[in-house]
């Protein structure tokens, strides 16, 4: 069943500023996570925060409504290709150390299953069918939502979240929560669309990345520079890439149309008192 959208305020969900402006209507969508819905979800509108640069869909559902929708999703919809570029970039940064690695939104465990054998593999995944496939690949799925790990006491050397942060209503709270799960000097690597890309700024709500009902929050390098410190995180690397491995002329066009950023973050431990 498709929930109806509640009315929500337009204050920025990350910095709380009221300096927000609507930049376009988003289309109603009849599909969520690969599953056809009984009735379309209202698209709402895309807002931009003038204070921190955050782009966000409004209004949105609460976490429980989204978890229910993801639980009904198809286990094939996000099964990645073997040549996915952000996965290759992550593998190149892991090395051969026996790390405890947590993939948030691990889906069927494709990324984790391709990491070096010494790594101990953990996942967070709300879709039961996808989680079962991940388990069959050697991943220990320990939660359906990252909130469930807060009181577990578990800590990780590396946390990855590929095309995940845009699915959460408050990306700052998401980063704060993941930072609390890192060991000292642990690393957090996220990949997501770049909300500051020139083509996105030109097309606004018509840009392809914000058309999906699952995508509700959008960040970029400027937002990270302003807000990352609030999550005790420091940006150590920004890497642009395209999801598609195409011949050079086509790849250049594709990169212009689908600018995506891989963002590597390193945790800063709290000072000793």
């Amino acid at each position: 069943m498709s929930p109806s959208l509640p009315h929500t305020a337009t204050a920025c969900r990350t910095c709380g500023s009221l300096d927000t402006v609507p930049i376009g209507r988003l289309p109603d969508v009849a599909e969520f996570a690969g599953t056809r819905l009984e009735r379309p979800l209202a698209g709402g509108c895309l807002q931009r925060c003038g204070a921190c640069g955050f782009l966000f869909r409004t209004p949105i559902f609460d976490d429980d409504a989204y978890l229910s929708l993801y639980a009904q999703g198809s286990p094939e919809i996000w099964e990645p290709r073997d040549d996915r570029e952000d996965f290759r970039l992550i593998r190149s940064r892991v090395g051969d150390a026996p790390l405890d690695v947590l993939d948030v939104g691990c889906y069927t465990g494709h990324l984790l299953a391709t990491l070096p054998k010494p790594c101990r593999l953990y996942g967070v995944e709300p879709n039961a069918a996808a989680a079962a496939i991940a388990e069959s690949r050697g991943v220990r799925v320990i939660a359906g939502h990252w909130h469930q790990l807060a009181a577990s006491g578990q800590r990780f050397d590396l946390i990855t979240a590929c095309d995940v942060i845009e699915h959460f209503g408050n990306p700052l709270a998401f980063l704060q929560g993941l930072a609390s799960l890192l060991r000292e000097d642990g690393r957090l690597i996220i990949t997501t669309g770049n909300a500051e890309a020139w083509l996105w700024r030109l097309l606004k709500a018509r840009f392809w990345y914000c058309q999906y009902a699952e995508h509700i929050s959008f960040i970029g390098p400027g937002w990270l520079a302003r807000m990352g410190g609030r999550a005790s995180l420091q940006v150590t690397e920004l890497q642009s890439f395209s999801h598609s491995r195409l011949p050079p002329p086509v790849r250049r066009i594709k990169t212009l149309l689908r600018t995506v950023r891989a963002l590597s973050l390193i945790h800063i431990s709290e000072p000793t008192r």
Side-chain angles (χ1 to χ4, degrees):
M1 183 176 179
S2 307
S4 58
L5 280 167
H7 174 75
T8 58
T10 56
C12 176
R13 295 199 294 263
T14 61
C15 75
S17 173
L18 294 175
D19 181 17
T20 62
V21 293
I23 60 173
R25 294 287 305 177
L26 293 166
D28 297 349
V29 180
E31 185 176 285
F32 192 99
T35 298
R36 194 77 178 172
L37 304 173
E38 292 180 6
R39 67 174 186 270
L41 297 176
C45 71
L46 189 65
Q47 301 262 347
R48 174 178 285 123
C49 176
C52 70
F54 181 47
L55 253 62
F56 58 102
R57 180 189 296 267
T58 185
I60 59 171
F61 306 120
D62 60 27
D63 283 351
D64 288 341
Y66 279 116
L67 280 173
S68 176
L69 287 166
Y70 285 117
Q72 301 168 41
S74 164
E76 292 85 28
I77 186 63
W78 287 310
E79 181 66 7
R81 305 180 317 274
D82 289 335
D83 64 348
R84 183 164 161 166
E85 182 64 8
D86 54 345
F87 287 8
R88 185 193 67 79
L89 289 168
I90 289 170
R91 286 193 295 269
S92 72
R93 285 153 176 79
V94 170
D96 297 324
L99 304 178
D100 288 320
V101 182
L102 174 69
D103 189 20
V104 179
C106 70
Y107 214 58
T108 59
H110 192 280
L111 168 62
L112 289 171
T114 62
L115 296 183
K117 294 302 181 185
C119 291
R120 293 172 289 273
L121 312 177
Y122 301 88
V124 172
E125 178 51 53
N127 185 284
I133 297 172
E135 292 270 5
S136 74
R137 288 173 163 168
V139 177
R140 183 182 173 194
V141 179
I142 55 178
H145 194 289
W146 66 267
H147 280 150
Q148 298 166 347
L149 298 177
S152 70
Q154 285 186 276
R155 297 295 180 267
F156 303 91
D157 301 301
L158 173 64
I159 298 176
T160 58
C162 299
D163 290 329
V164 169
I165 196 170
E166 66 273 10
H167 295 251
F168 287 92
N170 187 338
L172 177 59
F174 178 72
L175 292 180
Q176 289 170 332
L178 297 191
S180 71
L181 299 173
L182 286 168
R183 295 193 173 111
E184 187 172 350
D185 295 328
R187 290 178 295 161
L188 168 62
I189 300 177
I190 66 171
T191 65
T192 189
N194 177 14
E196 297 165 23
W198 70 268
L199 188 59
W200 198 335
R201 297 185 69 86
L202 175 67
L203 296 178
K204 300 178 180 179
R206 300 187 302 277
F207 190 63
W208 70 275
Y209 199 73
C210 54
Q211 303 293 302
Y212 298 99
E214 303 95 322
H215 291 186
I216 59 178
S217 297
F218 312 101
I219 65 172
W223 181 89
L224 276 171
R226 297 182 188 95
M227 307 297 288
R230 297 193 188 184
S232 297
L233 292 166
Q234 175 184 338
V235 178
T236 60
E237 180 184 358
L238 290 171
Q239 175 68 54
S240 63
F241 66 94
S242 171
H243 276 305
S244 299
R245 300 178 72 85
L246 299 169
V250 180
R251 190 184 307 134
R252 283 195 291 270
I253 297 171
K254 190 87 166 184
T255 301
L256 288 175
L257 295 178
R258 298 196 169 194
T259 301
V260 180
R261 293 279 183 178
L263 307 169
S264 177
L265 310 177
I266 186 166
H267 182 242
I268 304 172
S269 59
E270 293 294 328
T272 304
R273 296 178 181 175

